[in-house]
Amino acid sequence: MNKEISAVEASKLKESSPDVTLLDVREDAELEICNIQGAIHIPMGQIPGQLDALPKEGKLIVFCHHGMRSLNVVQYLEAQGFRNAVNMAGGINAWAIEVDASVGRY
């Protein structure tokens, strides 16, 4: 199963399905710069203590700034039994370029 999807694919899934969760694993300071409406925010370092806050059903799309931290989070979540987690390639930067130009870039 492919563990990475594009920002465009993530946007389409989010719009078409109520059981899609976007998970922003960036730091608080990054969230202040820009965010994706409706995403839940749990910084990468807090994920191990917040597993109960994450859905195990439906699609869990994880993103960060460019996609590297979120890929690590997806691998961690998979090891914890989350088979529904996928990485959004290119992160919020790709979202700003390919999906919603109103989302700030940094």
Side-chain angles (χ1 to χ4, degrees):
M1 184 172 168
N2 188 2
K3 288 296 169 184
E4 197 161 67
I5 64 172
S6 72
V8 172
E9 290 172 304
S11 175
K12 288 179 182 174
L13 278 172
K14 179 180 179 269
E15 294 301 319
S16 67
S17 179
D19 63 346
V20 170
T21 302
L22 294 179
L23 172 61
D24 185 343
V25 298
R26 297 174 304 138
E27 296 301 315
D28 292 340
E30 293 175 284
L31 188 68
E32 291 175 19
I33 298 168
C34 61
N35 63 72
I36 297 174
Q37 190 72 26
I40 61 172
H41 176 240
I42 303 173
M44 181 180 180
Q46 295 177 23
I47 294 291
Q50 299 283 327
L51 292 177
D52 290 343
L54 301 175
K56 286 202 172 194
E57 300 300 320
K59 183 77 75 182
L60 180 60
I61 302 171
V62 186
F63 69 94
C64 62
H65 187 198
H66 285 114
M68 295 311 297
R69 285 175 286 176
S70 51
L71 183 59
N72 288 331
V73 169
V74 166
Q75 291 168 343
Y76 173 79
L77 290 174
E78 199 167 45
Q80 305 308 309
F82 287 82
R83 302 287 175 240
N84 61 333
V86 296
N87 184 49
M88 186 168 75
I92 197 166
N93 191 63
W95 184 280
I97 294 168
E98 300 169 10
V99 176
D100 184 357
S102 73
V103 171
R105 292 182 62 205
Y106 60 102

